[in-house]
mmCIF file of all heavy atoms in Angstrom:
data_model
loop_
_atom_site.group_PDB
_atom_site.id
_atom_site.type_symbol
_atom_site.label_atom_id
_atom_site.label_comp_id
_atom_site.label_asym_id
_atom_site.label_seq_id
_atom_site.Cartn_x
_atom_site.Cartn_y
_atom_site.Cartn_z
ATOM 1 N N ARG O 493 13.724 -48.026 -222.265
ATOM 2 C CA ARG O 493 12.548 -48.570 -222.883
ATOM 3 C C ARG O 493 12.665 -48.654 -224.410
ATOM 4 O O ARG O 493 12.241 -49.614 -225.025
ATOM 5 C CB ARG O 493 11.308 -47.740 -222.516
ATOM 6 C CG ARG O 493 10.745 -48.039 -221.142
ATOM 7 C CD ARG O 493 9.652 -47.048 -220.787
ATOM 8 N NE ARG O 493 8.620 -46.957 -221.817
ATOM 9 C CZ ARG O 493 7.593 -47.777 -221.923
ATOM 10 N NH1 ARG O 493 7.471 -48.762 -221.051
ATOM 11 N NH2 ARG O 493 6.675 -47.638 -222.855
ATOM 12 N N ASP O 494 13.230 -47.630 -225.006
ATOM 13 C CA ASP O 494 13.302 -47.551 -226.454
ATOM 14 C C ASP O 494 14.702 -47.802 -227.012
ATOM 15 O O ASP O 494 15.017 -47.466 -228.135
ATOM 16 C CB ASP O 494 12.835 -46.179 -226.935
ATOM 17 C CG ASP O 494 11.371 -45.928 -226.621
ATOM 18 O OD1 ASP O 494 10.654 -46.924 -226.393
ATOM 19 O OD2 ASP O 494 10.950 -44.741 -226.572
ATOM 20 N N VAL O 495 15.591 -48.373 -226.198
ATOM 21 C CA VAL O 495 16.985 -48.615 -226.610
ATOM 22 C C VAL O 495 17.098 -50.053 -227.136
ATOM 23 O O VAL O 495 16.835 -50.991 -226.406
ATOM 24 C CB VAL O 495 17.964 -48.401 -225.446
ATOM 25 C CG1 VAL O 495 19.371 -48.760 -225.875
ATOM 26 C CG2 VAL O 495 17.911 -46.950 -224.984
ATOM 27 N N CYS O 496 17.494 -50.176 -228.395
ATOM 28 C CA CYS O 496 17.670 -51.517 -228.982
ATOM 29 C C CYS O 496 19.052 -52.081 -228.703
ATOM 30 O O CYS O 496 19.219 -53.319 -228.577
ATOM 31 C CB CYS O 496 17.391 -51.485 -230.469
ATOM 32 S SG CYS O 496 18.381 -50.304 -231.424
ATOM 33 N N TYR O 497 20.063 -51.233 -228.603
ATOM 34 C CA TYR O 497 21.414 -51.738 -228.297
ATOM 35 C C TYR O 497 22.275 -50.596 -227.774
ATOM 36 O O TYR O 497 22.023 -49.425 -228.027
ATOM 37 C CB TYR O 497 22.078 -52.403 -229.495
ATOM 38 C CG TYR O 497 22.254 -51.549 -230.723
ATOM 39 C CD1 TYR O 497 23.328 -50.668 -230.844
ATOM 40 C CD2 TYR O 497 21.371 -51.642 -231.794
ATOM 41 C CE1 TYR O 497 23.481 -49.887 -231.962
ATOM 42 C CE2 TYR O 497 21.534 -50.879 -232.929
ATOM 43 C CZ TYR O 497 22.595 -50.025 -233.029
ATOM 44 O OH TYR O 497 22.767 -49.242 -234.150
ATOM 45 N N VAL O 498 23.295 -50.993 -227.041
ATOM 46 C CA VAL O 498 24.332 -50.070 -226.552
ATOM 47 C C VAL O 498 25.645 -50.463 -227.224
ATOM 48 O O VAL O 498 26.107 -51.596 -227.031
ATOM 49 C CB VAL O 498 24.475 -50.138 -225.005
ATOM 50 C CG1 VAL O 498 25.634 -49.271 -224.560
ATOM 51 C CG2 VAL O 498 23.183 -49.695 -224.334
ATOM 52 N N GLN O 499 26.166 -49.582 -228.004
ATOM 53 C CA GLN O 499 27.396 -49.844 -228.769
ATOM 54 C C GLN O 499 28.611 -49.250 -228.096
ATOM 55 O O GLN O 499 28.597 -48.073 -227.690
ATOM 56 C CB GLN O 499 27.270 -49.280 -230.179
ATOM 57 C CG GLN O 499 28.504 -49.489 -231.058
ATOM 58 C CD GLN O 499 28.734 -50.926 -231.383
ATOM 59 O OE1 GLN O 499 27.930 -51.570 -232.043
ATOM 60 N NE2 GLN O 499 29.884 -51.443 -230.933
ATOM 61 N N PHE O 500 29.648 -50.046 -227.908
ATOM 62 C CA PHE O 500 30.909 -49.574 -227.379
ATOM 63 C C PHE O 500 31.892 -49.315 -228.539
ATOM 64 O O PHE O 500 31.824 -50.006 -229.560
ATOM 65 C CB PHE O 500 31.513 -50.596 -226.426
ATOM 66 C CG PHE O 500 30.750 -50.765 -225.130
ATOM 67 C CD1 PHE O 500 29.715 -51.668 -225.043
ATOM 68 C CD2 PHE O 500 31.086 -50.017 -224.014
ATOM 69 C CE1 PHE O 500 28.988 -51.804 -223.850
ATOM 70 C CE2 PHE O 500 30.399 -50.154 -222.818
ATOM 71 C CZ PHE O 500 29.347 -51.067 -222.739
ATOM 72 N N PRO O 501 32.819 -48.380 -228.389
ATOM 73 C CA PRO O 501 33.832 -48.178 -229.425
ATOM 74 C C PRO O 501 34.786 -49.341 -229.498
ATOM 75 O O PRO O 501 35.022 -50.039 -228.483
ATOM 76 C CB PRO O 501 34.498 -46.871 -229.008
ATOM 77 C CG PRO O 501 34.322 -46.799 -227.549
ATOM 78 C CD PRO O 501 32.969 -47.424 -227.277
ATOM 79 N N GLN O 502 35.361 -49.542 -230.665
ATOM 80 C CA GLN O 502 36.358 -50.589 -230.812
ATOM 81 C C GLN O 502 37.742 -50.014 -230.551
ATOM 82 O O GLN O 502 38.100 -48.950 -231.069
ATOM 83 C CB GLN O 502 36.321 -51.180 -232.226
ATOM 84 C CG GLN O 502 35.087 -51.984 -232.516
ATOM 85 C CD GLN O 502 35.146 -52.652 -233.887
ATOM 86 O OE1 GLN O 502 36.206 -52.855 -234.460
ATOM 87 N NE2 GLN O 502 33.989 -53.005 -234.433
ATOM 88 N N ARG O 503 38.499 -50.697 -229.714
ATOM 89 C CA ARG O 503 39.897 -50.328 -229.433
ATOM 90 C C ARG O 503 40.773 -51.531 -229.735
ATOM 91 O O ARG O 503 40.330 -52.676 -229.634
ATOM 92 C CB ARG O 503 40.055 -49.898 -227.980
ATOM 93 C CG ARG O 503 39.148 -48.758 -227.524
ATOM 94 C CD ARG O 503 39.379 -47.504 -228.333
ATOM 95 N NE ARG O 503 38.638 -46.353 -227.811
ATOM 96 C CZ ARG O 503 38.181 -45.377 -228.534
ATOM 97 N NH1 ARG O 503 38.391 -45.392 -229.840
ATOM 98 N NH2 ARG O 503 37.552 -44.362 -227.966
ATOM 99 N N PHE O 504 42.017 -51.263 -230.081
ATOM 100 C CA PHE O 504 42.850 -52.345 -230.609
ATOM 101 C C PHE O 504 44.226 -52.380 -229.924
ATOM 102 O O PHE O 504 44.759 -51.358 -229.509
ATOM 103 C CB PHE O 504 43.039 -52.211 -232.122
ATOM 104 C CG PHE O 504 41.757 -52.208 -232.880
ATOM 105 C CD1 PHE O 504 41.168 -51.008 -233.262
ATOM 106 C CD2 PHE O 504 41.108 -53.381 -233.211
ATOM 107 C CE1 PHE O 504 39.969 -51.007 -233.965
ATOM 108 C CE2 PHE O 504 39.910 -53.398 -233.885
ATOM 109 C CZ PHE O 504 39.344 -52.202 -234.268
ATOM 110 N N ASP O 505 44.743 -53.583 -229.825
ATOM 111 C CA ASP O 505 46.126 -53.819 -229.386
ATOM 112 C C ASP O 505 47.006 -54.156 -230.592
ATOM 113 O O ASP O 505 46.502 -54.502 -231.665
ATOM 114 C CB ASP O 505 46.177 -55.004 -228.403
ATOM 115 C CG ASP O 505 45.529 -54.673 -227.055
ATOM 116 O OD1 ASP O 505 45.771 -53.527 -226.583
ATOM 117 O OD2 ASP O 505 44.868 -55.526 -226.484
ATOM 118 N N GLY O 506 48.308 -54.073 -230.387
ATOM 119 C CA GLY O 506 49.236 -54.545 -231.414
ATOM 120 C C GLY O 506 49.340 -53.707 -232.651
ATOM 121 O O GLY O 506 49.684 -54.215 -233.723
#
Side-chain angles (χ1 to χ4, degrees):
R493 281 173 52 84
D494 295 340
V495 175
C496 56
Y497 59 82
V498 175
Q499 178 67 63
F500 291 87
Q502 291 185 22
R503 304 300 188 210
F504 301 98
D505 289 321

